[in-house]
Structure formats: C-alpha cells, structure tokens
Amino acid sequence: MVMKGKKGVVLGIANKKSIAYGIAKACQEQGAEMAITYLNERFEQKLAPIANELGCNGKLYPCDVSKPEEIVALRETLEKDFGKIDFIVHSIAFAPKEGLSGRFYDISKEAFDIAMDISVYSLIEIVRELKPILSENSSVLTLSYYGGVKYIPNYNLMGVAKAALEMTTKYLAEDLGKDGIRVNAISAGPIKTLAAAGIGDFSFMLKWNQAHAPLKQNVTIEQVGNSGMYMLSDLSSGVTGEIHYVDAGFNIMG
Ligand code: 0WD
C-alpha cells in the first residue's frame, strides 16, 4: 500500500476510459484518498458513480480550468476536506477541431490560444493556486504525448502544446524543487479515449504504434495508471522534471 496516507486531487476524468481514471484507480488500490473534478454539468452525473467507486466520499467538484474562479474554489474546498494534499493529477488537454487535422499553417490564433490555455497554462495556474495546500513532500503529474517531440500526422496544434507542456514541467520542477514539490510528466502511447477521438485518423496511429513498438502492443490505462501511481508515490522521491515514456517503447525506434 504505497499510497497509504496520501491525499490528492485528480483532474481530467471524463469517463472510465480516461487515462486519469487509470491513474486514480491505481492510487486508490494502493491506499490513496482523493477528490476528483468534472468539467461541467454534462459530466457531473456520469462521474458520480465513478467518484463512488474510487472512494471519493462525495468529493466530486467542478473545475473548468479556463475559469480561474473555479480553480480558487477548488483550493478552498480541498483545504476544508483534507487540510494539505500530497498529489495532483493534471490530465487535461483541449484543442479546437481545426487544430487536429488539415494544413498546420491554417491554424487560427484563437485556436492556438485556446489549446495553450487549457492544455499548458492550466498546469501552471493549478500548481500556483493549490501550492498553499501542497504538503512538503508532494508530487504533481501531467500527461504528454510523443507528438510534442516529433512530427505525428494530424497531431498538429496539440503537438505544439505538448512541447510547451513538457518544458513547463521542467521549469516548474526546478522552481518548486526547493519547496519539496516534484513535477513530472508521463508521455503515454496512443489510447482510445474521448479526447483521442478528436484527432484525425487516430485508428491509424494505434495500428502504427502497435506494429512498430518494441513490445508490439498499445498501452492500456492500467499500465499508464501504475506508472502514474509510482510518480505520485514516494517510490519516485528522487525523480522530478522527468518525461517518462509509457508507450511500449515506441519512442526509441528510428
Ligand atoms: O492517446 C491518448 N489518449 C493520449 C492522451 C496519449 C498521450 C497523452 N494523452 C493526454 C491528453 O492529451 C490529455 O492531456 O492525456 C490527457 C488525458 O487525455 P485522455 O484520457 O486521452 O482523454 P479524456 O478521457 O477525454 O480526458 C481529457 C479531459 C476532457 O475530456 P473531453 O473529452 O470532455 O475533452 O480533459 C478535460 C475533459 O474532461 N478537459 C478539461 N477539464 C477541465 N477544464 C477542460 C477544461 N477546460 N477541457 C478538457
């Protein structure tokens, strides 16, 4: 029970296929206590049974990261519930559809700003707002993808956002290390989720990854969940600023 006594918050569960659900489940199985958040009322009802299953005990809160006041409200609620928390999972990304297929040079400034705001800036804002309630031995985890390092067909705008997110992880790790806060990212292989459905020809990405990855498989949310749990636990106490690949080895291939 490596997460026994750990308390935290998980942002980015849309349903039971979400990567964040895999991470939350692994943490719960290892003894963690947590709150989870939902984007808007459309997700609230769907998430109620999931929150129950994860043992959240009613700790299911709204948090649309594009609304700063909802992040502030989340801190106040978490402080009442837990006092201090030990981990944050940021498993959130969004880009308007026009940024996820077609010609890259057609991307509008508006789409670019939205993608960077929700997928990158939100990590900085969440960490800053929740910092007063982060314990001195806490861990923050975000989710990236290889399309932020190399060209991947149709990943387009999200590739630029993931590149920014990976550097944000490193600069945050340096800045917060002195406060005992670790910040890491998992770069997961492609997984069929709601967010993935927005990416043009995603099924080709899955086939390509499976065919070319050393392990000849696509990863599951259980595999990403277990690695995420390690990053949030004291087992990884010497690790920060790391982009850890959980992709069946795909990234090593030439
Ligand atoms: O292949 C994949 N699925 C991979 C995903 C490979 C590698 C990385 N990732 C990343 C994604 O880019 C994202 O950062 O993992 C993270 C989680 O994505 P997911 O689990 O694939 O997708 P999903 O289950 O859809 O959860 C992402 C959620 C949103 O779901 P929808 O489908 O409604 O966009 O992010 C949340 C929302 O629940 N989200 C927000 N949460 C708060 N405020 C916001 C927002 N403004 N926008 C989206």
Side-chain angles (χ1 to χ4, degrees):
M1 296 292 258
V2 298
M3 294 295 282
K4 195 148 182 60
K6 298 270 188 201
K7 296 167 190 157
V9 61
V10 179
L11 297 98
I13 302 180
N15 54 42
K16 283 177 104 166
K17 291 184 172 166
S18 298
I19 293 175
Y21 172 77
I23 297 170
K25 190 85 195 143
C27 288
Q28 183 209 14
E29 283 167 4
Q30 290 297 322
E33 243 186 280
M34 71 197 93
I36 66 172
T37 67
Y38 58 89
L39 171 56
N40 54 37
E41 307 81 64
R42 201 158 64 83
F43 288 94
E44 186 180 5
Q45 272 194 342
K46 276 195 222 154
L47 280 190
I50 294 180
N52 255 345
E53 184 203 317
L54 292 169
C56 297
N57 220 345
K59 297 183 201 73
L60 170 63
Y61 304 125
C63 188
D64 178 341
V65 295
S66 67
K67 298 180 179 150
E69 66 280 9
E70 291 197 5
I71 302 179
V72 172
L74 179 65
R75 184 198 60 228
E76 290 166 357
T77 315
L78 289 173
E79 191 166 17
K80 269 188 221 128
D81 284 343
F82 293 125
K84 296 268 178 188
I85 60 170
D86 309 289
F87 66 91
I88 302 173
V89 177
H90 171 278
S91 186
I92 288 168
F94 178 76
K97 203 144 177 83
E98 64 164 280
L100 297 171
S101 61
R103 301 289 298 265
F104 181 77
Y105 86 130
D106 273 340
I107 290 166
S108 67
K109 177 161 162 44
E110 196 197 350
F112 190 91
D113 288 350
I114 292 172
M116 295 299 273
D117 184 36
I118 309 255
S119 315
V120 186
Y121 187 71
S122 64
L123 177 64
I124 302 173
E125 196 168 6
I126 286 163
V127 167
R128 187 180 57 245
E129 287 305 328
L130 298 193
K131 188 169 174 292
I133 61 162
L134 279 176
S135 73
E136 251 176 53
N137 180 25
S138 51
S139 177
V140 179
L141 180 70
T142 188
L143 270 300
S144 191
Y145 178 58
Y146 192 48
V149 176
K150 289 281 167 79
Y151 170 81
I152 300 281
N154 295 316
Y155 204 59
N156 296 12
L157 176 53
M158 195 49 79
V160 176
K162 291 305 190 195
L165 180 70
E166 293 190 6
M167 281 318 291
T168 298
T169 300
K170 293 179 192 186
Y171 276 91
L172 278 176
E174 194 288 327
D175 195 18
L176 296 169
K178 50 178 122 22
D179 303 310
I181 301 166
R182 298 185 293 113
V183 187
N184 292 290
I186 283 184
S187 182
I191 300 175
K192 206 163 178 227
T193 62
L194 210 56
I199 300 162
D201 212 359
F202 185 76
S203 56
F204 179 75
M205 220 189 249
L206 281 174
K207 273 190 219 138
W208 184 266
N209 202 86
Q210 178 165 7
H212 295 91
L215 294 177
K216 302 290 170 232
Q217 57 165 249
N218 282 311
V219 291
T220 63
I221 62 165
E222 288 76 23
Q223 288 172 321
V224 179
N226 285 332
S227 298
M229 186 275 297
Y230 152 80
M231 281 299 193
L232 299 170
S233 77
D234 293 339
L235 289 174
S236 60
S237 61
V239 182
T240 195
E242 182 72 5
I243 314 299
H244 177 61
Y245 283 93
V246 183
D247 66 346
F250 182 83
N251 73 94
I252 68 161
M253 303 304 285

